[in-house]
Amino acid sequence: MAVFEKRRLWLAVLAALALAFPLLVTNGYYLHMMTISFIWMIAVYGLNLFAGYTGYLSLAHAGFFAVGAYTLGILTVKVGLPFWWAFVLSCAFTSLLGLLIGLVALRTKEHFFAIYTLCVGYIIYLVIDKWDSLTGGVRGFIGIPAPADLGPLSFQTPLAQYYLVLFFLAAVMVVMHRLVYSLTGRTYIAIRNSEELALTLGISTMKNKLTSFVLSVFFTSLAGALYASFIRFLGPDIAYVTVMFDFLTYLLVGGIGTLAGPVVGTLLVTFLSQQLQFLQDYRMLIFGPLLTLLIIFYPHGIAGGWIRYQARRREARRLAASATRAAEKRAVPRQSRSERRAEEG
């Protein structure tokens, strides 16, 4: 019970800090970077759902991120749909694309699945890069509108867009929490631990894997649509393999298969990247070896390592308390025998 109370306290503190951040930091650049970080977090939560809880590593999520972003841009600029209709349809279209790809991709396993999705992600990048008449190609896609007003709520300022993205991030975190601690989430974890054993228990692994994959694609497309409405300019680079590498870095540094991992990893790596701007040309050479060392020596990431440290402490306290109770029980009969001997003497 105390663990849950501490967790709620920490969540309340983090929520208060997120809400008060624009008031505490008045620099517009930091507000911009924090908004971008929230968008990355939503995308990483999508990757974490499938890779961390179902056990399949998808390397196509940067492509799905780009599809969500470009679909919003095309529907608003070229088709002329209202923003929120385009927003919903972009997520729906990307989820449908994920469903079609998942039906084929999930017939493979392990590294074959990762290679297949890597190819899918690269094909999406090539389509965006070469289809000039639709996507603008290397020139980019411009003119994407900011989020439209919802009644009295206006999202035309960076501050309003910050709170809008924060709202969607909070919604994704709530859904992830409810999902992970539900029977469905336990089913995903069972598939991750042993798909063969899950099959013997009567679990429809294909159905659950496909559901997890489509939901993860939905989260990633949601992040892409928010990115397009916030940046309002798109280039094919958002579908390139380097973006997928960034997603994996955020997830592995924070802790794969944990609810706090996407938040911790994204904030930490984004902050370090901003402090090392002068090394941006060598970022792959720097973060690549560091990520390899992290996987080898600290595979659970920061949040995962902390969770396991706390679990070991609780287990050690439980064993110590059990040993103390056992010692007290053994001491009582000894004391009684000593008293009887004193009375007989």
Side-chain angles (χ1 to χ4, degrees):
M1 193 67 177
V3 174
F4 290 108
E5 292 297 330
K6 289 182 180 179
R7 186 179 299 172
R8 289 176 182 173
L9 177 62
W10 277 109
L11 288 174
V13 170
L14 291 175
L17 286 175
L19 291 172
F21 181 81
L23 304 177
L24 300 175
V25 180
T26 56
N27 191 319
Y29 174 75
Y30 290 115
L31 183 67
H32 175 89
M33 289 308 304
M34 189 59 72
T35 307
I36 290 294
S37 298
F38 289 165
I39 294 173
W40 296 143
M41 288 175 198
I42 295 173
V44 176
Y45 267 114
L47 180 63
N48 189 33
L49 173 62
F50 194 62
Y53 290 99
T54 313
Y56 277 67
L57 178 60
S58 169
L59 298 178
H61 272 56
F64 294 129
F65 178 87
V67 170
Y70 270 92
T71 304
L72 176 71
I74 292 168
L75 291 176
T76 52
V77 176
K78 295 196 172 185
V79 179
L81 283 179
F83 177 85
W84 291 109
W85 276 105
F87 187 87
V88 173
L89 288 175
S90 66
C91 296
F93 172 78
T94 312
S95 299
L96 178 60
L97 179 63
L99 173 64
L100 298 176
I101 292 173
L103 286 171
V104 178
L106 289 170
R107 298 182 183 277
T108 62
K109 294 182 180 181
E110 299 175 353
H111 55 280
F112 297 106
F113 176 83
I115 294 171
Y116 182 90
T117 53
L118 177 63
C119 294
V120 169
Y122 193 69
I123 290 171
I124 293 174
Y125 164 75
L126 290 176
V127 170
I128 293 173
D129 186 59
K130 303 302 180 184
W131 199 347
D132 290 356
S133 61
L134 182 67
T135 65
V138 295
R139 297 188 307 274
F141 197 100
I142 61 175
I144 301 171
D149 297 347
L150 286 174
L153 299 177
S154 176
F155 305 106
Q156 302 303 312
T157 65
L159 179 62
Q161 292 175 19
Y162 169 88
Y163 284 115
L164 176 66
V165 174
L166 178 61
F167 167 79
F168 279 107
L169 174 61
V172 168
M173 293 175 70
V174 170
V175 171
M176 280 290 296
H177 183 272
R178 296 292 297 270
L179 182 64
V180 167
Y181 288 100
S182 68
L183 181 59
T184 302
R186 300 300 182 189
T187 302
Y188 295 161
I189 294 172
I191 295 173
R192 180 194 65 187
N193 293 339
S194 176
E195 189 168 344
E196 290 75 15
L197 181 58
L199 279 170
T200 61
L201 294 174
I203 296 174
S204 177
T205 57
M206 182 64 182
K207 176 183 175 182
N208 282 279
K209 288 188 298 183
L210 186 60
T211 303
S212 175
F213 184 71
V214 172
L215 187 56
S216 73
V217 170
F218 171 79
F219 286 156
T220 307
S221 67
L222 173 64
L226 289 170
Y227 179 86
S229 65
F230 181 68
I231 300 298
R232 304 175 70 179
F233 169 81
L234 299 173
D237 288 346
I238 64 170
Y240 198 54
V241 66
T242 52
V243 176
M244 190 67 238
F245 178 83
D246 288 341
F247 289 169
L248 282 174
T249 302
Y250 300 152
L251 182 57
L252 293 175
V253 169
I256 187 170
T258 64
L259 289 174
V263 175
V264 175
T266 303
L267 286 178
L268 180 61
V269 176
T270 302
F271 175 78
L272 290 177
S273 298
Q274 292 304 309
Q275 299 302 313
L276 301 174
Q277 282 284 352
F278 61 95
L279 296 175
Q280 283 299 304
D281 293 338
Y282 308 98
R283 65 190 305 272
M284 295 292 283
L285 294 176
I286 296 172
F287 282 106
L290 288 177
L291 188 60
T292 303
L293 293 174
L294 177 72
I295 294 172
I296 294 173
F297 297 106
Y298 207 66
H300 302 296
I302 296 173
W306 174 254
I307 290 171
R308 281 162 175 77
Y309 169 72
Q310 293 283 50
R312 288 196 298 269
R313 285 189 59 187
R314 288 195 297 270
E315 182 64 16
R317 287 197 296 265
R318 186 186 68 81
L319 292 175
S322 299
T324 302
R325 287 195 298 269
E328 291 174 351
K329 289 180 180 178
R330 288 194 299 268
V332 171
R334 290 176 183 174
Q335 184 178 6
S336 300
R337 286 196 298 269
S338 299
E339 291 175 353
R340 285 198 300 269
R341 289 172 183 171
E343 291 174 359
E344 292 174 358

